[in-house]
Amino acid sequence: MAFDVPALRKEFPTLQREIDGHRLVYLDSGASSQTPRVVLDAMDRYYSWSRSNVHRGVYQLAEEATDLYEGARAKLATFLDADPRGVVFTKNATEGCNLVAYSWVRRQLGPGDALLTTVMEHHANHVPFTTAANELGFEVRHVPLTDDGQLDLDAARELVADGKVRFLAAVHVSNVLGTINDVAELAGVVREANPDAKVHIDGAQAVPHLPVSFRELDVDFYAITGHKMLGPTGIGALIARPELLESMEPFLTGGDMIRDVTLEGATWNDIPHKFEAGTPMIAEAAGLGAAVDLLTDLGMDAVREHEVDMAAGLLDAVGGIDGVTIHGPSDPALRGAAVSFAVDGVHPHDVGAMLGSKGVCVRVGHHCTKPLMRCLGLTATARASAYVYNDRDDLEPLVDGIEAAKTFFAR
Amino acid sequence: MAFDVPALRKEFPTLQREIDGHRLVYLDSGASSQTPRVVLDAMDRYYSWSRSNVHRGVYQLAEEATDLYEGARAKLATFLDADPRGVVFTKNATEGCNLVAYSWVRRQLGPGDALLTTVMEHHANHVPFTTAANELGFEVRHVPLTDDGQLDLDAARELVADGKVRFLAAVHVSNVLGTINDVAELAGVVREANPDAKVHIDGAQAVPHLPVSFRELDVDFYAITGHKMLGPTGIGALIARPELLESMEPFLTGGDMIRDVTLEGATWNDIPHKFEAGTPMIAEAAGLGAAVDLLTDLGMDAVREHEVDMAAGLLDAVGGIDGVTIHGPSDPALRGAAVSFAVDGVHPHDVGAMLGSKGVCVRVGHHCTKPLMRCLGLTATARASAYVYNDRDDLEPLVDGIEAAKTFFAR
Amino acid sequence: MSLEDMYQEIILDHYRKPLNRAPSLEDEAVAVHHSNPLCGDEMDLRLRVVDDAVDAVVFDGEGCSISQAAASAMTDAVIGRDLKDALDLTEDFRRMMHGDEPARADDLKDGVAFQGVAKFPVRVKCALLGWMALKDAIETYERGASAHTVTHEE
Amino acid sequence: MSLEDMYQEIILDHYRKPLNRAPSLEDEAVAVHHSNPLCGDEMDLRLRVVDDAVDAVVFDGEGCSISQAAASAMTDAVIGRDLKDALDLTEDFRRMMHGDEPARADDLKDGVAFQGVAKFPVRVKCALLGWMALKDAIETYERGASAHTVTHEE
Ligand SMILES: Cc1ncc(COP(=O)(O)O)c(C=O)c1O
Ligand SMILES: Cc1ncc(COP(=O)(O)O)c(C=O)c1O
């Protein structure tokens, strides 16, 4: 591991907290990550030194704010190996998925067309498209899972064989199973059957944890969210091919995204501004820029290496408990460090509450993936998800808490 | 004046800055206000103590984060005299206007219908509706101005006479003219002709500066934005009648806003959550809550009183300069403290640049109101806008800078 | 926040040995199915009415300890009460879950043990699931219907 | 950031006494109208071409000192150049506005005085307005057309 976890952990204020005398063990980064001081400082610098609106200001504060905002866009573009003209800031990944649903899917797909997605999508990458399908009359098809929680690419090949699939929406890394999908290959399957098909990937759980190159993935749209990648709340981004953005009608309209407005109508600003209506998330962009700097400093290869180690540790430690079943791939190399599990005879809520009382934070519930839960015959799971500030010292409190829940709730 | 401006000013970090040896005189709060330390502290507390995601967490941090977020909603509801179930958090006012355009107007209006708006709208309250009109074939009508920059209610009466107007979108306080519109009366005009008509008000420039009661205004929708009311960037809200929200289809879809999801479709969560898709602006809500507390402490009546005084001061000081013309009402009681002006023979950009070089921040351009600019026969104005931290000491640098621009750019 | 604030022994007892937990009921008047999709709790509740009173009520389903125990304690508190009174008691429990002192603490029987749950907003809906199913069953009965399915979140 | 960084005397001179500012041009080949709606700048530019070279160019319109002065200096730098060369010089100016050192500083004549504007991103588009209108006029001419209107933002 190339970075020093205990030293890094010191940079995250909330992690210094105790809960009822227990050290806080934060294993819910899949829901939202902790925020390091450098990110808070970057936002504070904006608020305390350059506080003003961006674009078109003729005074120094406004120039600085614009530089911060556009500078963050450039940083994010470099981090994801994308063209800054294709980086649209959104409030979260969900807005990015909706942008694609409104500005591309709803304007392109209709009766006779099909959209391909998977059974493991987060609601963010599912509901915008099924809602559109129900209103506009196109078909939705679902790539099923193999037994070990991978996407079934053979089934996908059959699903696209009739050439009707014009759009793919798929998740890069599952927030429940941890599965890392080979989205480039899946995109290839879709494009082989229909070279004009467009591909949208939900990268909310990928970008925080793996090196991602938008150019290499060679997809059309890619949604991310800041609060899961050490950044602030209230910001995300949609990465897209610039020429595709140029051809699309805007989604949100209003100030800043226009070229000209008359009483009768409007013409649009250049991309990416065409898709950013109203006053943007200026402080949040500055914060996200700082988060990207930190991740770059840590090195995404090192982050990934650390997480393979944490995934292995979680699978061993939690999977080793009597009566515990783990969902998702058993090979750490095929997955992220978000590990969902079931404890025989103890409801996930009770597991989570017991862990919470011991300062161990995990998420319980359907994780915004109800269709996947139904596929797996589950209603809820408990999920421990690790990130750069976790290390193997965090496993013991987790295991102890699960054992305590078993004892406490034994019927 | 009930509060001590010099003492208050100390609470705003950026205002302590100097620009090239000049005291910073911030007169661009119409674009974005300064942020006081209490707001930064509230966000910092969330990030440094309770950093986690909201809703459904079974550990303490998540409960605290949820309380912060929902607590901010309750504060905002009290501040605006509205039902918290009708308070939908958005990323800015623009998103609020788009929500109304997508979830109500686009689903209700069609050929044969008309939408009433005014010529003084900000693009945020104009483009979402004209774009919808152009796509769906309903008509858009515009309330014109009287000579002193007020809405012409007699003309409005004629515009609604045929009963076709089903929707009104109007600005509460103009960001260019400063005019305070009697939106309750305008709403009455529209409803008299068509009792079922819905009314949407853009309150972005009103809520920071005046006491506003959603209940008393008796409108259907009301959009606001946090960054103009001492709050952080990245958050706003749409206030709406709960029963209306209940009857509407959601706009953005994804996690958190659903009740149940199957592969085929979804059902929606209760309001207001139905309209809040994805991880919300948690820190931003906490910050906005603190801003609302501060405004409540200052007292909105006192804020308004202070601004009438500042408007009077600006009108006298700037209007008194040779060759300067002021746009908008000349009576401070009828307007906010955003004052647009033109300097004979000097382009607004040059005025703004000169002022900026002396530490005086004003906005120049069309202020996202191109249709209004065309109505007034202008292409741009310079605008000085005051807020709670400005006082009459800020007028001298403004006047000196305008005089300097006159000299420097004299042809 | 100690876990014991919420999981009193009395709650665990109901969880471990639930009262009136059964998949069917003879001469049932109404069957309702309630679920809380946000937690994945599912509950079937069956009600037998005699002389406008709760003659019998059983529940079945899946859920966390709080939802199961609360349903168990609920059945014990409402059997024998006339329908109107059972609805009134339901309202008392609901208010308690939102932080009020219960007005009918004695009538709630073991239900009062759930007062501590009010401090854990995310679990409130678990405690309410059985009570809300009961309320729906009574209202369904009063409407003259015999079955109802509700997917809800308090 | 002193204002003088941007408003050099040479710029103010062009602003106060613009060269080739006129509402019409005899034997004009092309007329283009450009506007920058974000600032409200408007510019009419007319071009006369003789032997594939800029024989004359005039501009008119409304805008800030930077846009007016830059257009004035532009006319002075391009009159007499053949069209291809004028386009090349335009590109050099554009690059300078984005922070590069100008490759043809001498040919830009007073245009080099605008180098400081590159430090003020919001004013860059003002400085470019006249040059972009020229580029469009030449391209319109080369397409064989005689008029063009562009609403743009650099
Ligand atoms: C009158 C008015 N409406 C709407 C807006 C848009 O606000 P935001 O940019 O925060 O969406 C503004 C701010 O510029 C405004 O002045
Ligand atoms: C896989 C996946 N996609 C999308 C999202 C939505 O992200 P956000 O809530 O930030 O919009 C999440 C986060 O919960 C996720 O895990």
Side-chain angles (χ1 to χ4, degrees):
Chain A
M1 203 179 341
F3 52 89
D4 175 352
V5 175
L8 183 62
R9 181 142 56 194
K10 294 212 176 71
E11 299 302 318
F12 292 82
T14 296
L15 295 181
Q16 313 313 313
R17 188 173 166 182
E18 293 197 343
I19 301 285
D20 263 345
H22 302 280
R23 176 171 76 84
L24 184 76
V25 174
Y26 190 76
L27 287 167
D28 197 17
S29 299
S32 210
S33 62
Q34 292 299 316
T35 319
R37 255 181 262 278
V38 283
V39 169
L40 303 182
D41 290 349
M43 292 195 282
D44 208 69
R45 244 183 339 264
Y46 162 68
Y47 281 121
S48 303
W49 187 248
S50 307
R51 180 74 177 96
S52 61
N53 213 326
V54 296
H55 300 142
R56 295 192 310 288
V58 288
Y59 53 87
Q60 189 169 343
L61 268 52
E63 302 259 4
E64 291 168 3
T66 305
D67 286 350
L68 274 176
Y69 183 68
E70 294 300 333
R73 192 194 310 278
K75 281 182 190 182
L76 191 59
T78 305
F79 183 63
L80 297 173
D81 189 19
D83 183 332
R85 293 167 62 243
V87 174
V88 176
F89 281 122
T90 58
K91 69 175 173 180
N92 52 25
T94 303
E95 187 192 331
C97 297
N98 277 272
L99 194 170
V100 174
Y102 276 95
S103 287
W104 204 87
V105 171
R106 280 180 180 257
R107 289 181 181 267
Q108 295 282 341
L109 265 57
D113 294 326
L115 178 150
L116 186 68
T117 183
T118 86
V119 297
M120 62 160 88
E121 297 310 308
H122 186 280
H123 295 161
N125 207 35
H126 172 95
V127 187
F129 300 115
T130 49
T131 308
N134 290 334
E135 289 184 19
L136 298 170
F138 60 85
E139 194 191 330
V140 179
R141 300 176 185 173
H142 301 90
V143 182
L145 300 186
T146 63
D147 287 344
D148 63 332
Q150 313 261 51
L151 290 180
D152 185 339
L153 290 185
D154 291 334
R157 256 174 222 105
E158 281 173 39
L159 287 168
V160 299
D162 64 2
K164 287 189 176 174
V165 169
R166 295 186 54 204
F167 188 84
L168 166 68
V171 68
H172 196 166
V173 175
S174 162
N175 61 320
V176 174
L177 304 172
T179 320
I180 301 172
N181 294 318
D182 189 340
V183 289
E185 183 166 358
L186 183 58
V189 166
V190 171
R191 289 199 187 116
E192 209 171 302
N194 181 347
D196 284 339
K198 299 291 178 265
V199 174
H200 167 63
I201 301 302
D202 169 1
Q205 297 285 350
V207 165
H209 306 290
L210 317 168
V212 169
S213 160
F214 180 72
R215 254 176 273 259
E216 274 175 31
L217 281 179
D218 193 26
V219 298
D220 299 290
F221 303 105
Y222 194 93
I224 70 166
T225 198
H227 68 92
K228 294 189 204 280
M229 53 188 287
L230 308 183
T233 58
I235 191 161
L238 180 73
I239 321 299
R241 287 192 206 277
E243 56 297 357
L244 196 54
L245 283 185
E246 264 161 5
S247 74
M248 286 157 54
E249 286 297 306
F251 164 40
L252 300 173
T253 59
D256 245 35
M257 54 71 68
I258 57 96
R259 173 151 301 158
D260 199 3
V261 176
T262 63
L263 282 178
E264 289 73 35
T267 52
W268 314 129
N269 200 341
D270 292 332
I271 63 162
H273 310 290
K274 178 166 103 176
F275 292 93
E276 296 181 356
T279 301
M281 300 67 73
I282 309 168
E284 291 81 353
L288 185 57
V292 162
D293 285 344
L294 177 54
L295 288 171
T296 305
D297 285 351
L298 295 176
M300 287 310 295
D301 286 316
V303 168
R304 172 63 189 146
E305 197 186 317
H306 173 63
E307 295 203 14
V308 172
D309 181 63
M310 283 307 293
L314 281 164
L315 293 172
D316 279 358
V318 178
I321 302 172
D322 227 36
V324 168
T325 317
I326 298 225
H327 306 292
S330 49
D331 178 354
L334 301 178
R335 54 136 63 236
V339 175
S340 281
F341 58 95
V343 183
D344 257 16
V346 189
H347 192 277
H349 264 200
D350 293 320
V351 175
M354 175 60 81
L355 286 168
S357 75
K358 297 183 178 303
V360 182
C361 307
V362 303
R363 182 107 332 205
V364 302
H366 55 63
H367 315 290
C368 295
T369 57
K370 296 222 32 147
L372 174 63
M373 292 285 130
R374 287 213 174 82
C375 270
L376 299 172
L378 300 169
T379 53
T381 77
R383 180 191 67 189
S385 52
Y387 202 14
V388 290
Y389 32 69
N390 298 110
D391 61 18
R392 290 196 170 219
D393 289 350
D394 293 340
L395 299 179
E396 196 180 306
L398 174 65
V399 170
D400 288 353
I402 297 172
E403 293 286 9
K406 278 173 56 181
T407 312
F408 192 78
F409 292 103
R411 299 210 215 206
Chain B
M1 201 181 339
F3 51 90
D4 174 352
V5 175
L8 183 62
R9 180 143 56 195
K10 295 213 175 71
E11 299 302 318
F12 293 81
T14 296
L15 295 183
Q16 312 314 312
R17 188 171 167 183
E18 293 197 343
I19 300 284
D20 263 344
H22 302 280
R23 177 170 76 84
L24 184 75
V25 174
Y26 190 75
L27 287 167
D28 197 18
S29 298
S32 210
S33 62
Q34 292 298 318
T35 319
R37 255 181 262 277
V38 283
V39 169
L40 303 181
D41 289 348
M43 294 196 281
D44 208 68
R45 246 184 337 266
Y46 161 69
Y47 281 121
S48 302
W49 186 247
S50 306
R51 180 73 178 98
S52 61
N53 212 326
V54 296
H55 301 142
R56 294 191 310 289
V58 288
Y59 53 88
Q60 189 168 341
L61 266 51
E63 302 259 5
E64 291 169 2
T66 305
D67 287 350
L68 274 176
Y69 183 67
E70 294 301 332
R73 192 194 309 279
K75 281 182 191 182
L76 191 58
T78 306
F79 183 64
L80 297 173
D81 190 19
D83 183 333
R85 293 167 61 245
V87 174
V88 176
F89 282 124
T90 58
K91 68 176 174 179
N92 51 25
T94 303
E95 186 192 332
C97 297
N98 277 270
L99 195 171
V100 175
Y102 276 95
S103 287
W104 204 88
V105 171
R106 281 180 179 257
R107 290 180 181 268
Q108 295 281 341
L109 265 58
D113 293 326
L115 178 151
L116 187 67
T117 183
T118 85
V119 298
M120 62 160 86
E121 297 309 308
H122 187 279
H123 295 161
N125 208 34
H126 172 95
V127 187
F129 301 114
T130 49
T131 308
N134 290 334
E135 289 184 20
L136 298 169
F138 60 84
E139 193 191 331
V140 179
R141 301 175 185 174
H142 301 90
V143 182
L145 301 186
T146 61
D147 286 344
D148 63 332
Q150 314 260 51
L151 290 180
D152 184 339
L153 289 184
D154 291 332
R157 255 175 223 105
E158 281 175 36
L159 287 168
V160 299
D162 65 3
K164 288 191 175 172
V165 169
R166 295 186 54 206
F167 188 87
L168 166 68
V171 68
H172 197 165
V173 176
S174 162
N175 61 320
V176 174
L177 303 173
T179 320
I180 301 173
N181 294 316
D182 189 339
V183 288
E185 184 168 355
L186 183 58
V189 166
V190 170
R191 289 198 187 115
E192 209 172 300
N194 181 349
D196 285 340
K198 300 291 176 268
V199 174
H200 167 64
I201 301 301
D202 169 1
Q205 298 283 350
V207 165
H209 306 290
L210 317 167
V212 169
S213 160
F214 181 71
R215 255 175 274 260
E216 274 175 32
L217 280 180
D218 193 26
V219 297
D220 299 290
F221 304 104
Y222 195 93
I224 68 167
T225 199
H227 67 93
K228 295 189 204 279
M229 54 188 284
L230 308 183
T233 58
I235 191 162
L238 180 73
I239 321 301
R241 286 192 207 277
E243 53 303 353
L244 195 54
L245 282 185
E246 262 160 6
S247 73
M248 284 158 54
E249 286 297 307
F251 164 40
L252 299 174
T253 60
D256 246 38
M257 54 71 69
I258 57 96
R259 172 150 300 158
D260 199 5
V261 177
T262 64
L263 282 178
E264 289 74 34
T267 52
W268 314 129
N269 199 342
D270 292 331
I271 62 161
H273 310 289
K274 178 166 102 176
F275 292 94
E276 295 182 356
T279 301
M281 299 66 75
I282 309 168
E284 290 82 352
L288 184 57
V292 162
D293 285 344
L294 177 56
L295 288 172
T296 305
D297 285 350
L298 295 177
M300 288 309 296
D301 285 318
V303 168
R304 172 63 189 147
E305 196 186 318
H306 173 63
E307 295 201 13
V308 172
D309 182 62
M310 283 305 295
L314 281 164
L315 293 172
D316 279 359
V318 178
I321 302 173
D322 225 38
V324 168
T325 318
I326 297 223
H327 307 291
S330 48
D331 179 354
L334 301 177
R335 53 138 62 235
V339 175
S340 283
F341 58 93
V343 183
D344 258 16
V346 189
H347 192 276
H349 265 202
D350 293 320
V351 175
M354 174 59 81
L355 285 166
S357 75
K358 297 182 176 306
V360 182
C361 308
V362 302
R363 183 109 329 209
V364 302
H366 55 64
H367 315 290
C368 295
T369 57
K370 295 223 33 147
L372 175 62
M373 291 287 131
R374 286 212 175 84
C375 270
L376 299 173
L378 299 169
T379 53
T381 76
R383 180 190 68 190
S385 52
Y387 203 13
V388 290
Y389 32 69
N390 296 110
D391 61 17
R392 290 195 170 218
D393 289 349
D394 293 342
L395 299 178
E396 194 181 306
L398 173 64
V399 170
D400 288 353
I402 296 172
E403 293 285 8
K406 278 173 57 181
T407 313
F408 193 78
F409 293 104
R411 299 209 214 206
Chain C
M1 167 174 123
S2 117
L3 203 63
E4 287 68 36
D5 286 359
M6 181 158 69
Y7 292 109
Q8 303 205 8
E9 201 51 46
I10 216 164
I11 295 183
L12 288 173
D13 282 349
H14 273 282
Y15 168 63
R16 295 199 184 105
K17 297 196 200 64
L19 307 173
N20 300 301
R21 185 179 166 112
S24 64
L25 179 66
E26 249 175 66
D27 297 327
E28 73 176 31
V30 197
V32 298
H33 177 84
H34 276 223
S35 69
N36 187 329
L38 292 189
C39 325
D41 293 342
E42 306 267 343
M43 181 158 302
D44 284 295
L45 183 139
R46 286 150 212 281
L47 174 70
R48 186 165 69 221
V49 179
V50 172
D51 288 344
D52 273 340
V54 178
D55 188 59
V57 58
V58 300
F59 76 97
D60 200 14
E62 216 199 301
C64 67
S65 55
I66 301 289
S67 73
Q68 300 296 298
S72 166
M74 176 274 292
T75 61
D76 194 40
V78 300
I79 288 174
R81 296 197 178 275
D82 67 31
L83 299 183
K84 215 179 138 300
D85 189 41
L87 284 181
D88 186 71
L89 198 61
T90 301
E91 181 56 18
D92 202 45
F93 187 87
R94 198 188 64 76
R95 287 236 181 87
M96 184 179 84
M97 283 298 103
H98 288 99
D100 292 357
E101 274 304 310
R104 303 177 57 185
D106 285 354
D107 294 345
L108 285 172
K109 293 193 175 173
D110 291 353
V112 289
F114 292 81
Q115 195 164 6
V117 177
K119 278 182 247 141
F120 301 78
V122 83
R123 306 306 290 276
V124 164
K125 55 187 182 297
C126 308
L128 281 170
L129 187 64
W131 287 92
M132 291 300 119
L134 173 76
K135 177 168 185 255
D136 180 40
I138 295 175
E139 289 170 353
T140 302
Y141 173 81
E142 289 179 337
R143 274 203 313 276
S146 66
H148 201 220
T149 293
V150 176
T151 304
H152 76 132
E153 184 201 6
E154 163 65 14
Chain D
M1 165 175 121
S2 117
L3 203 63
E4 285 68 34
D5 286 359
M6 181 160 67
Y7 292 110
Q8 303 205 8
E9 201 50 47
I10 217 164
I11 295 183
L12 288 173
D13 281 350
H14 274 280
Y15 169 62
R16 295 195 186 108
K17 298 197 200 62
L19 308 173
N20 301 301
R21 185 178 167 114
S24 64
L25 179 65
E26 247 175 69
D27 298 325
E28 73 179 30
V30 197
V32 298
H33 178 82
H34 277 222
S35 69
N36 187 329
L38 293 189
C39 324
D41 293 343
E42 306 267 344
M43 182 159 301
D44 284 295
L45 182 140
R46 287 151 212 279
L47 175 69
R48 185 166 67 219
V49 178
V50 172
D51 287 342
D52 273 338
V54 178
D55 187 59
V57 58
V58 300
F59 75 98
D60 200 12
E62 217 200 299
C64 68
S65 55
I66 300 289
S67 73
Q68 300 296 300
S72 167
M74 175 275 291
T75 61
D76 193 39
V78 299
I79 288 175
R81 296 198 180 274
D82 67 34
L83 298 182
K84 213 177 139 301
D85 188 42
L87 283 180
D88 185 73
L89 198 61
T90 301
E91 180 57 19
D92 201 47
F93 187 86
R94 198 188 64 76
R95 288 235 182 87
M96 183 179 85
M97 283 298 104
H98 287 99
D100 293 356
E101 275 303 310
R104 303 178 55 183
D106 285 354
D107 294 345
L108 285 172
K109 294 192 173 173
D110 290 353
V112 289
F114 292 81
Q115 195 163 8
V117 176
K119 278 182 247 142
F120 300 79
V122 83
R123 306 306 291 277
V124 164
K125 54 187 180 302
C126 307
L128 281 171
L129 187 64
W131 287 92
M132 291 300 120
L134 173 76
K135 177 166 184 260
D136 180 40
I138 294 175
E139 288 169 355
T140 302
Y141 174 81
E142 289 178 338
R143 274 202 314 278
S146 66
H148 200 220
T149 292
V150 175
T151 303
H152 77 131
E153 184 200 8
E154 165 62 16

